[in-house]
Amino acid sequence: AQKVTQAQTEISVVEKEDVTLDCVYETRDTTYYLFWYKQPPSGELVFLIRRNSFDEQNEISGRYSWNFQKSTSSFNFTITASQVVDSAVYFCALSEAHRGTDKLIFGTGTRLQVFP
Amino acid sequence: DTGVSQDPRHKITKRGQNVTFRCDPISEHNRLYWYRQTLGQGPEFLTYFQNEAQLEKSRLLSDRFSAERPKGSFSTLEIQRTEQGDSAMYLCASSPRVGEYYNEQFFGPGTRLTVL
């Protein structure tokens, strides 16, 4: 069965601190995709990144970086030098797209609060 | 450039009434998805369409729920005989899935349903 676990319900940091959001997934498939979405207070989910299961290279985009480790079934997200605008709920999601369905299976989310 | 739009943004109804929501995807996207999100949870998949064909329905989608995408463009989600447990945010997403090539899903702002 597919499952995504985000064990951290809420994280609070002070601006400029680094913060890592954890994501652990379960799947029996060898081909799958992992995602991170941001849901700011306005409510609209914003796509951040997609990784496929064959690409374990870490990725950096500005202050954001992602660490994908198949050995531990984890896809963690780090924000460097956090800012107040980073305050949002962050969701990790899994899709077993090769089965002909690309529905997203979301974790329960991690609420990040960045204080000035 | 317009993203995914949903109408209405908010709906308050009395238990037992029928409600209908509309989603307009990004114009060139052939896949359209519906998700439901309750407070403190991640979105849960309901159903999706490729063009006008409904390809998958979740077990969450009871007989009171029906979705259509008659011309492969906009979609409607109807809930009949609403119950208080239907209160949630209903999210629509679209993606330009072509063959086996996977693309991320882009979400609309959602319709928040409150059943009194």
Side-chain angles (χ1 to χ4, degrees):
Chain A
Q2 320 96 316
K3 186 179 178 183
V4 175
T5 301
Q6 295 180 256
Q8 304 152 308
T9 305
E10 188 162 341
I11 300 175
S12 295
V13 298
V14 176
E15 217 171 11
K16 297 184 184 177
E17 284 186 27
D18 298 347
V19 58
T20 296
L21 310 181
D22 298 334
C23 172
V24 174
Y25 61 92
E26 294 177 30
T27 177
R28 294 178 186 169
D29 290 342
T30 56
T31 303
Y32 52 89
Y33 295 84
L34 296 165
F35 302 80
W36 277 94
Y37 281 85
K38 175 182 180 179
Q39 189 171 43
S42 60
E44 192 160 336
L45 282 160
V46 177
F47 166 78
L48 295 177
I49 191 171
R50 176 191 75 212
R51 285 313 255 197
N52 71 53
S53 53
F54 297 111
D55 183 1
E56 284 194 74
Q57 281 195 356
N58 293 331
E59 183 156 340
I60 298 175
S61 175
R63 297 183 297 107
Y64 295 170
S65 62
W66 291 270
N67 183 276
F68 176 29
Q69 293 197 344
K70 288 179 75 172
S71 60
T72 55
S73 297
S74 65
F75 186 43
N76 297 337
F77 173 31
T78 297
I79 302 174
T80 303
S82 60
Q83 299 177 0
V84 173
V85 293
D86 296 327
S87 297
V89 180
Y90 291 86
F91 291 97
C92 180
L94 165 71
S95 176
E96 295 169 339
H98 79 291
R99 291 181 177 269
T101 174
D102 49 9
K103 65 183 180 185
L104 294 173
I105 298 154
F106 286 86
T108 51
T110 297
R111 179 177 298 278
L112 174 65
Q113 292 195 330
V114 182
F115 294 98
Chain B
D1 179 32
T2 56
V4 178
S5 61
Q6 293 186 246
D7 184 67
R9 295 291 307 276
H10 303 273
K11 179 72 178 178
I12 300 174
T13 190
K14 293 183 179 178
R15 189 178 54 181
Q17 298 294 305
N18 299 344
V19 294
T20 300
F21 310 141
R22 175 177 170 128
C23 170
D24 287 88
I26 294 171
S27 60
E28 64 270 24
H29 288 186
N30 58 345
R31 285 211 170 182
L32 185 148
Y33 313 78
W34 285 99
Y35 293 83
R36 182 174 70 185
Q37 185 178 20
T38 54
L39 203 60
Q41 300 297 313
E44 295 174 295
F45 170 78
L46 294 178
T47 188
Y48 85 96
F49 294 83
Q50 177 155 310
N51 300 313
E52 65 275 8
Q54 188 173 19
L55 297 186
E56 186 174 348
K57 291 165 57 174
S58 162
R59 285 174 231 164
L60 292 175
L61 216 63
S62 76
D63 291 344
R64 297 185 296 105
F65 288 69
S66 63
E68 293 183 344
R69 193 182 183 196
K71 296 182 180 178
S73 56
F74 72 91
S75 174
T76 57
L77 177 68
E78 181 183 15
I79 308 175
Q80 296 182 328
R81 304 181 302 282
T82 52
E83 301 173 356
Q84 288 184 327
D86 297 331
S87 295
M89 177 77 86
Y90 290 84
L91 297 167
C92 178
S94 69
S95 77
R97 178 79 185 267
V98 178
E100 292 304 309
Y101 183 70
Y102 185 90
N103 288 283
E104 54 272 15
Q105 297 175 24
F106 295 89
F107 283 80
T111 294
R112 182 170 295 285
L113 173 66
T114 302
V115 182
L116 301 176

